[in-house]
Amino acid sequence: MLGIPTRQVIIALLWSSFLSAGIACGLIFAWIDPTVLLDQLGLDSSNRLGGYSLAFFFLWLIGIANVLICLFFLRPVSHSKNN
Amino acid sequence: MKPEESTLRQELYAKRQKIYPRQVSGIFASMRITAVLVLLGLYYGLPWLRWDGQQAILFDLPARQFHILGLTLWPHDFIYLSGLLIIAALSLFFFTALAGRLWCGFACPQTVWTEVFLWIERLVEGERNQRMKLDKKGSLQKKILLKSLKHSIWIILSAWTGFTFVGYFTPITELGTKLLSFSTGPWETFWIFFYGFATYGNAGWMREQVCIYMCPYARFQSAMIDSDTLNIVYDSGRGEPRGARRRRDDPGELGLGDCIDCQLCVQVCPTGIDIRNGLQYQCIGCAACIDVCNTIMGKMKYDKGLIRYTTENLLHGGKSYLLRPRVIIYAIILSFSTGLLVHGFTTRNSVELDISRDRNVLYRELENGDIENHYNLKILNKDRIQHQYGLSVEGIESANLKLDNGPLQVAEADVHTFQLRVIVSPASLRSRVNAIQFKLWALDDASISIVSDARFMGP
């Protein structure tokens, strides 16, 4: 796929989204207390560690979805011969 | 397909070959062992350090406080953490410009843990040749025995690493007690396993692939390097043409250079490259090839330094300059941002004030016609002693303050919310929305004060 090893594609998918999720988590929770989010979701708001963790995995999933779409659009488009 | 294209394709699709790094001794190997022991000593040891009766370094996520050697950082202080990260990145640029990938070769966690995992591998499975023999021709029984022993030790070390990692975020002594009675919380347990698994995978299995595929720094470090940067270089002018020979042979007579083509520089390389092909981005600058080549040069009674730290300019007979625009600019930006951070941190305010209007009521009209607004007043005392505060309001003349749950007293490193009413006579209101300022100051310390903007709503 894309002319690079499959393991590189997998790493690009999981790792770049992991990094961005980590950074986003740090930024978000510097300003927002996770208990506020947990309250909004109707979850046990006393468990902050759980709040951080859930948010991290949610952001990671969003990141993975984002990279998947990106990889999809990166697939070569077939060109007509006179191009 | 053109011929060069086909070789390129083959390289891109080359299956990963397992690398069996050979053990090496020498000055750089000793430096790395020292670095590994110091850094891992710090990593595993620091959470157990106590300071003023509590854990010296604790990133207390549940309480949203970072404790570093008696200092408490709050979410508001996030800016200092970002500043610290920027300084770390700038230092990386600075040192890369000076001497290449020092970080990768000696200090990167990937290098450090891989080194330890390799020690364990060597201890259990033996040196390079024995490990290769075991993988190729070893009996199933021997393989199972040795491999399961190796992986068990790796897993125990990884689990301890994960435990230590979580110990930076939740008090480690309590965590230890909980672990012994198998009563760690679900997220604690999860993160111990997660980090442990990452250690085991990265240092045991992924190794050089982390540097090649996962590390962004490896990809862009070449942008910081110029012809005056110290790098690990093979002196091809001296080494070529390479070739095997006996120790007593005169290389000049045979028409050979100093490289005896023993392949040891390739065998010791943790990323499996041949340094004689020139500077490559897979090279992590660990200098293992320098060490092993110097040993061989010594045995052959040739001059050392066929592979050495040198700059491109020096290698080609030119002059090299330590101080050049790139280095000077990095140094200036680095010292400027460090100064800024230190200044900002030493003069940081030890009180934070957060004022929010009560959203339920816009305003209230009292019996005597006065207008009343309600506010929530959140005071964060970042100081290490308890303070009582004074509060005043400016912006509307006749404004009166009424505290419902005063006095404004907040314990050290604590946050408290107070209910506040501001009452004004309608005559002094100029419009429906009026800008006001609250000023808060510590009664016992005039240097602690803060001003916060708010709005007063009228009819």
Side-chain angles (χ1 to χ4, degrees):
Chain A
M1 188 188 186
L2 304 172
I4 51 174
T6 314
R7 70 175 67 223
Q8 195 175 348
V9 175
I10 296 170
I11 288 170
L13 174 65
L14 297 179
W15 180 235
S16 61
S17 40
F18 182 92
L19 286 179
S20 53
I23 294 168
C25 238
L27 284 173
I28 291 170
F29 291 125
W31 279 281
I32 299 172
D33 189 333
T35 51
V36 178
L37 287 178
L38 289 169
D39 257 347
Q40 289 266 314
L41 294 168
L43 296 169
D44 171 20
S45 64
S46 66
N47 190 350
R48 275 211 183 106
L49 201 58
Y52 292 117
S53 307
L54 285 178
F56 174 76
F57 284 104
F58 176 71
L59 290 167
W60 195 8
L61 272 180
I62 297 279
I64 289 172
N66 187 13
V67 180
L68 274 177
I69 296 168
C70 180
L71 285 173
F72 175 75
F73 283 129
L74 274 178
R75 289 189 315 168
V77 179
S78 64
H79 290 283
S80 60
K81 271 188 184 151
N82 47 14
N83 250 354
Chain B
M1 202 182 273
K2 291 179 222 151
E4 62 265 44
E5 211 174 313
S6 90
T7 47
L8 181 70
R9 291 235 128 199
Q10 268 172 9
E11 244 176 59
L12 286 174
Y13 282 109
K15 208 168 158 26
R16 184 204 173 213
Q17 299 226 317
K18 188 169 169 189
I19 295 167
Y20 302 85
R22 175 188 278 272
Q23 189 168 21
V24 64
S25 60
I27 178 158
F28 294 110
S30 316
M31 276 167 65
R32 189 167 29 263
I33 292 172
T34 315
V36 167
L37 293 179
V38 169
L39 291 171
L40 286 189
L42 285 174
Y43 174 79
Y44 291 108
L46 276 181
W48 298 98
L49 194 70
R50 313 286 296 175
W51 191 281
D52 277 351
Q54 59 172 345
Q55 193 167 322
I57 294 180
L58 179 64
F59 306 114
D60 193 347
L61 287 179
R64 287 172 74 70
Q65 292 175 11
F66 285 6
H67 301 282
I68 302 168
L69 304 178
L71 211 85
T72 304
L73 293 180
W74 298 81
H76 289 83
D77 300 323
F78 185 77
I79 185 87
Y80 301 112
L81 192 68
S82 342
L84 213 58
L85 287 176
I86 291 170
I87 288 171
L90 284 169
S91 323
L92 194 64
F93 294 175
F94 178 70
F95 284 108
T96 308
L98 281 183
R101 296 170 69 171
L102 286 177
W103 164 261
C104 303
F106 299 95
C108 176
Q110 180 62 25
T111 302
V112 166
W113 265 291
T114 302
E115 188 79 9
V116 175
F117 273 56
L118 263 174
W119 292 346
I120 296 168
E121 194 165 80
R122 244 174 232 138
L123 202 69
V124 177
E125 294 182 4
E127 232 319 318
R128 179 173 193 267
N129 296 336
Q130 289 164 289
R131 298 205 300 272
M132 290 169 85
K133 206 171 135 194
L134 176 73
D135 278 0
K136 272 201 189 116
K137 300 187 207 139
S139 68
L140 187 66
Q141 208 178 357
K142 200 175 171 193
K143 262 190 194 171
I144 293 177
L145 183 74
L146 290 183
K147 300 258 169 194
S148 52
L149 179 62
K150 174 180 83 175
H151 286 282
S152 313
I153 305 178
W154 278 1
I155 288 169
I156 292 169
L157 179 65
S158 303
W160 186 250
T161 309
F163 167 74
T164 308
F165 177 74
V166 175
Y168 277 97
F169 297 94
T170 156
I172 197 162
T173 40
E174 283 172 39
L175 191 68
T177 327
K178 280 196 264 181
L179 193 73
L180 288 177
S181 58
F182 296 102
S183 58
T184 46
W187 285 110
E188 288 162 352
T189 317
F190 173 81
W191 285 112
I192 291 175
F193 276 100
F194 190 91
Y195 199 83
F197 176 74
T199 309
Y200 171 74
N202 284 347
W205 293 94
M206 303 275 288
R207 295 200 178 162
E208 82 286 350
Q209 298 179 89
V210 173
C211 313
I212 293 170
Y213 296 124
M214 291 168 76
C215 178
Y217 168 65
R219 296 281 180 95
F220 65 71
Q221 44 88 24
S222 59
M224 274 91 76
I225 287 175
D226 56 27
S227 352
D228 286 318
T229 301
L230 273 175
N231 262 315
I232 295 165
V233 181
Y234 164 69
D235 189 344
S236 56
R238 202 189 121 186
E240 300 296 317
R242 63 184 84 154
R245 81 276 323 251
R246 281 166 301 186
R247 200 181 298 185
R248 58 174 184 276
D249 289 344
D250 177 13
E253 257 172 45
L254 296 168
L256 291 174
D258 278 355
C259 174
I260 65 165
D261 205 13
C262 62
Q263 300 288 337
L264 282 178
C265 56
V266 181
Q267 292 180 13
V268 295
C269 180
T271 65
I273 57 168
D274 188 341
I275 190 71
R276 296 172 299 175
N277 297 339
L279 196 60
Q280 294 147 75
Y281 106 91
Q282 288 94 334
C283 172
I284 58 166
C286 70
C289 49
I290 299 186
D291 277 340
V292 77
C293 189
N294 278 344
T295 318
I296 296 299
M297 290 296 112
K299 277 186 187 158
M300 297 297 292
K301 303 219 162 51
Y302 296 168
D303 287 340
K304 290 186 176 178
L306 178 60
I307 304 175
R308 63 179 182 273
Y309 264 111
T310 188
T311 73
E312 207 184 309
N313 282 343
L314 282 176
L315 193 70
H316 296 127
K319 270 192 158 184
S320 238
Y321 302 94
L322 181 68
L323 289 178
R324 42 198 201 273
R326 178 193 294 268
V327 172
I328 296 170
I329 290 170
Y330 283 148
I332 290 173
I333 303 176
L334 185 60
S335 20
F336 179 73
S337 39
T338 311
L340 206 67
L341 182 78
V342 170
H343 172 78
F345 194 74
T346 44
T347 56
R348 77 187 176 127
N349 209 342
S350 53
V351 64
E352 296 277 351
L353 176 62
D354 186 32
I355 292 183
S356 59
R357 279 177 37 82
D358 189 342
R359 266 173 261 152
N360 297 326
V361 204
L362 206 55
Y363 65 89
R364 254 182 59 184
E365 214 173 326
L366 300 181
E367 280 175 11
N368 61 358
D370 284 355
I371 308 295
E372 181 184 80
N373 273 207
H374 288 214
Y375 299 89
N376 283 321
L377 192 71
K378 204 158 130 188
I379 301 176
L380 170 62
N381 178 8
K382 298 197 279 190
D383 212 358
R384 294 172 70 188
I385 51 168
Q386 173 177 289
H387 284 297
Q388 192 168 335
Y389 298 93
L391 183 73
S392 69
V393 62
E394 280 162 35
I396 301 173
E397 271 169 33
S398 62
N400 252 321
L401 287 173
K402 287 255 174 355
L403 265 174
D404 288 347
N405 53 348
L408 297 172
Q409 188 167 306
V410 185
E412 68 275 13
D414 200 6
V415 57
H416 205 280
T417 307
F418 300 91
Q419 271 82 45
L420 176 74
R421 289 179 289 148
V422 176
I423 302 161
V424 302
S425 70
S428 51
L429 287 178
R430 286 195 206 95
S431 61
R432 281 191 64 231
V433 184
N434 304 272
I436 52 171
Q437 292 91 40
F438 288 98
K439 189 180 178 209
L440 186 82
W441 68 94
L443 294 176
D444 56 344
D445 187 345
S447 70
I448 303 175
S449 73
I450 191 167
V451 176
S452 184
D453 291 326
R455 286 183 304 174
F456 188 94
M457 303 298 222

